[in-house]
Amino acid sequence: MRIVREIINKGVWLFKTVLEGDDSNDIKGADKFHILSCIAEFIQNALDAARNNVANVLIKIRTVTVSFKTFETLFLSKDFIKYHEASNANDRTIDFDGKDILCLVMEDFNTTGILGDPSVYKSNIDGENNSIHTFNNEMGGNRKLGNANKGGSEGEGKQTFCFASNISTFFYYTLREDGSDYFMGINYCGTFDFGSDTFKPLAHYGNTVKPQEENGRNFTMPISDPDQIKKLKSIFKIQRNEPGTSIIIPYVNRKITFEKIKERVCNRYRVPIFRGQVEVEILKEKIEKKNIVEIYKNNYCKTENEKKMCE
């Protein structure tokens, strides 16, 4: 059902104004999520997107640094900085000072990638969930997938990735089994006013396309051009050549450390790890079925009774 869309602008941010009659509600994820909620959200989405023919899901977590000049040229447009400074998401001190940018990278393997058709601006296509549209454009509601094999159950939870960024922004690269792949940026800015306009809480980086419906409005589709994707993957050191999704969080909050990530993984996902459903590699350390008991006992059991319970 893919729709051929007319592209107006390539590789730009689109901030949408609230038009007369639009709903401008904002569900304020910061009221619900912890700074480390992005870790649990990513792992849970990966488990939901596990492929049928694999033994377990593999998660890899690392950081990369990106030169400020490269990042500025591609992503820090005048509009982005202007609206970021005016938005409700600008509640942390951030200086665009020319220093290299630290990015948290979370990647899943043995998964389907984010499924669906981003060219169709609908949550459902012929009875099937259009997961990539939901992930890109919707927040909240009850549109969780009924079948975990169809891809991730995304929506409100993507705010956790924005919340972990000091510019309230994340990028994703997803590759599917059929070879199709997409790259997009999402900024959670909250509902905010600028001049005489009110803006919607989500902004998107990608290709701005024209609507086909008479009363529709321009929206953003993920980048799918191979040359553009190759360049973007190179910037963030993404080497993926098998299905799955990579989440990149630029200007990652310094409260998110590898030690805290490890603790969150072991406390939240020790049972799925012990059951062999998921393995998590943090830098070069792999947490898996054969070592989770020792890791958990040696690091997160405070008393002898807790250690015995662990055994």
Side-chain angles (χ1 to χ4, degrees):
M1 190 182 173
R2 183 168 181 80
I3 298 173
V4 178
R5 298 281 184 178
E6 181 182 346
I7 298 177
I8 303 170
N9 285 309
K10 290 185 177 181
V12 296
W13 285 102
L14 177 63
F15 289 78
K16 291 182 181 179
T17 56
V18 177
L19 302 179
E20 184 178 22
D22 278 349
D23 185 348
S24 61
N25 288 346
D26 180 3
I27 57 178
K28 297 180 180 178
D31 294 344
K32 304 177 182 180
F33 301 122
H34 184 272
I35 196 71
L36 284 164
S37 296
C38 61
I39 306 301
E41 175 68 17
F42 184 77
I43 295 175
Q44 190 57 54
N45 284 350
L47 287 168
D48 289 344
R51 288 157 61 194
N52 283 331
N53 58 343
V54 299
N56 60 18
V57 169
L58 172 62
I59 306 292
K60 294 186 178 183
I61 302 174
R62 57 190 170 90
T63 55
V64 299
T65 55
V66 177
S67 78
F68 178 82
K69 188 169 182 60
T70 299
F71 194 87
E72 179 186 39
T73 300
L74 283 172
F75 307 119
L76 296 181
S77 64
K78 290 181 179 178
D79 274 354
F80 179 89
I81 293 176
K82 176 177 70 178
Y83 293 137
H84 172 73
E85 291 176 346
S87 76
N88 295 320
N90 185 25
D91 59 356
R92 299 173 191 157
T93 301
I94 180 70
D95 294 319
F96 299 112
D97 53 9
K99 295 179 181 177
D100 286 352
I101 298 162
L102 184 67
C103 304
L104 181 68
V105 179
M106 301 181 290
E107 300 183 277
D108 62 43
F109 299 87
N110 299 334
T111 59
T112 62
I114 307 174
L115 301 183
D117 188 343
S119 74
V120 181
Y121 203 86
K122 294 181 178 179
S123 304
N124 190 286
I125 304 174
D126 299 329
E128 295 290 329
N129 289 287
N130 191 9
S131 305
I132 197 165
H133 166 82
T134 303
F135 186 68
N136 291 343
N137 300 295
E138 297 187 3
M139 284 196 305
N142 193 30
R143 288 206 168 105
K144 295 291 185 181
L145 300 188
N147 183 349
N149 298 322
K150 297 294 184 181
S153 53
E154 304 93 356
E156 184 177 2
K158 63 176 167 283
Q159 288 179 93
T160 63
F161 306 138
C162 296
F163 190 43
S165 163
N166 282 341
I167 59 168
S168 199
T169 297
F170 76 94
F171 301 94
Y172 75 77
Y173 170 66
T174 194
L175 172 65
R176 288 98 72 88
E177 289 180 278
D178 64 2
S180 61
D181 56 351
Y182 297 101
F183 182 97
M184 179 174 252
I186 297 178
N187 169 260
Y188 171 75
C189 40
T191 303
F192 70 98
D193 295 324
F194 188 88
S196 59
D197 291 320
T198 299
F199 284 81
K200 287 183 171 290
L202 289 181
H204 298 83
Y205 177 87
N207 296 333
T208 304
V209 298
K210 279 188 176 181
Q212 291 194 334
E213 296 180 1
E214 183 179 351
N215 296 320
R217 65 159 77 191
N218 297 343
F219 69 96
T220 303
M221 277 184 55
I223 292 167
S224 58
D225 177 76
D227 291 334
Q228 282 183 285
I229 285 183
K230 183 178 179 181
K231 178 181 178 181
L232 291 162
K233 286 173 64 181
S234 175
I235 290 168
F236 295 112
K237 300 177 178 63
I238 302 297
Q239 298 180 333
R240 173 182 299 283
N241 56 16
E242 56 185 280
T245 298
S246 303
I247 296 287
I248 305 112
I249 300 175
Y251 286 99
V252 62
N253 190 284
R254 296 289 178 165
K255 293 179 181 178
I256 300 176
T257 65
F258 287 119
E259 194 57 43
K260 288 181 179 178
I261 290 172
K262 180 178 176 180
E263 183 178 4
R264 176 57 61 103
V265 166
C266 290
N267 279 318
R268 185 73 178 265
Y269 284 97
R270 61 188 184 273
V271 173
I273 292 171
F274 184 72
R275 290 176 175 169
Q277 295 171 315
V278 61
E279 298 175 357
V280 182
E281 186 177 301
I282 303 171
L283 289 178
K284 297 297 182 181
E285 181 183 10
K286 183 177 281 190
I287 304 169
E288 55 190 324
K289 181 177 181 178
K290 66 182 181 182
N291 65 9
I292 182 61
V293 171
E294 283 303 308
I295 290 173
Y296 190 79
K297 184 174 67 174
N298 294 336
N299 292 276
Y300 309 114
C301 291
K302 298 179 181 178
T303 67
E304 287 302 315
N305 282 338
E306 287 179 350
K307 290 180 180 181
K308 289 178 181 177
M309 289 287 288
C310 185
E311 294 289 1

